[in-house]
């Protein structure tokens, strides 16, 4: 945790969820409105097809809505893409950009991720920018070099705690059930904090840094209490309201 910073627990549903799953979002909203996340902010990022109906269910409540990607342009001839102003228009507060699955599966570069993050901020959204090393890179002792390079090349040129969240997600920990040690996470988050202060000055001291990769209720406490760990980005364990709320309850 960073003193004075409100933690964020964000759920990334990835390409999961049909209309029937809206009941889980409804249940999350009810739990959050009853105080289940304590001081923490909770956000859910369902697939694009569920954003509008989810927004209708979340109106007036404390559970925030986020998307999983956006285009760098506000509109135009980009078949199949969704812009940041469109996401803002339907009620999103957050958008994840640069997730490793998009960097790998859609060949997104640091420059593209930065452009998306800047587009998100221009539209009034908070960008959750993901960074993280592969298993091979960590084995080679290159994790700080890789993540530092991503931070410097994919974060927006201007940002504050209101417009930017960074998610450290070691790729080898995503969806594998394998996690880094608490010491590894604390070390990387400390390094990211230093880079953020280098980039943004005082504002960088309160940009939230989330840990992501196989977070579940049983290991959340271990990570969420670490210095410079200001919340979590949760994949698999965010699909069911009970699992997701149990993680957020670490802050209750
Ligand atoms: P996981 O995914 O929690 O299922 O490991 C995290 C993520 O990819 O954001």
């Amino acid at each position: 945790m960073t003193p004075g910073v409100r933690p964020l627990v964000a759920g990334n549903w990835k390409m999961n969820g049909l209309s029937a799953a809206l009941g889980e979002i409804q249940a999350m909203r009810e739990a959050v409105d009853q105080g289940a996340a304590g001081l923490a902010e909770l956000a859910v990022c369902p697939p694009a097809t569920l954003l509008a109906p989810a927004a209708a269910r979340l109106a007036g409540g404390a559970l925030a809505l986020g998307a999983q990607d956006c285009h760098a342009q506000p509109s135009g001839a980009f078949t199949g893409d969704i812009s940041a102003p469109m996401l803002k228009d339907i009620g999103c507060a957050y958008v994840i950009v640069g997730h490793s699955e998009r960097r790998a599966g859609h060949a997104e570069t640091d420059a593209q991720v930065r452009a998306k993050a800047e587009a998100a901020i221009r539209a009034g959204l908070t960008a959750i920018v993901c960074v993280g090393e592969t298993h091979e890179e960590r084995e080679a002792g290159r994790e700080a070099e890789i993540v530092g390079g991503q931070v410097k090349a994919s974060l927006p040129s201007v940002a504050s705690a209101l417009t930017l969240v960074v998610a450290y997600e070691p790729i080898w920990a995503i969806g594998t059930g394998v996690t880094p040690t608490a010491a590894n996470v604390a070390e990387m988050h400390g390094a990211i904090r230093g880079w953020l202060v280098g980039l943004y000055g005082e504002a960088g001291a309160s940009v939230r840094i989330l840990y992501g990769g196989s977070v579940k209720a049983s290991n959340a406490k271990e990570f969420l209490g670490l210095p410079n760990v200001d919340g979590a980005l949760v994949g698999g364990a965010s699909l069911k309201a009970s699992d997701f709320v149990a993680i957020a309850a670490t802050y209750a």
Side-chain angles (χ1 to χ4, degrees), residues 8 24-25 27 59 78-79 85 89 100-101 109 119 154 164 184 187 194 197 202 220 239-240:
L8 170 68
E24 295 297 326
I25 291 178
F78 303 104
T79 302
D89 182 53
S100 60
E101 288 153 15
T109 64
S154 53
L164 176 66
N184 289 157
E187 187 179 3
V197 171
E202 195 47 44
L239 292 168
K240 282 183 60 189

Side-chain angles (χ1 to χ4, degrees), residues 134-226:
T134 64
H135 185 63
E136 294 69 33
E137 288 160 349
R138 180 164 281 270
E139 288 289 289
R142 297 180 58 217
E143 67 275 11
E145 172 202 335
I146 296 297
V147 174
Q150 291 173 338
V151 164
K152 285 165 195 155
S154 53
L155 294 193
S157 50
V158 178
S160 73
L162 292 177
T163 61
L164 176 66
V165 174
V166 175
Y168 169 56
E169 299 203 307
I171 294 168
W172 47 276
I174 295 175
T176 59
V178 180
T179 56
T181 64
N184 289 157
V185 172
E187 187 179 3
M188 185 62 83
H189 280 237
I192 294 172
R193 176 68 67 210
W195 295 320
L196 288 173
V197 171
L199 287 170
Y200 306 120
E202 195 47 44
S206 52
V207 168
R208 291 174 288 189
I209 309 172
L210 313 184
Y211 167 72
S214 296
V215 175
K216 46 187 195 271
S218 58
N219 64 17
K221 239 196 178 82
E222 183 187 353
F223 296 118
L224 298 181
L226 296 171

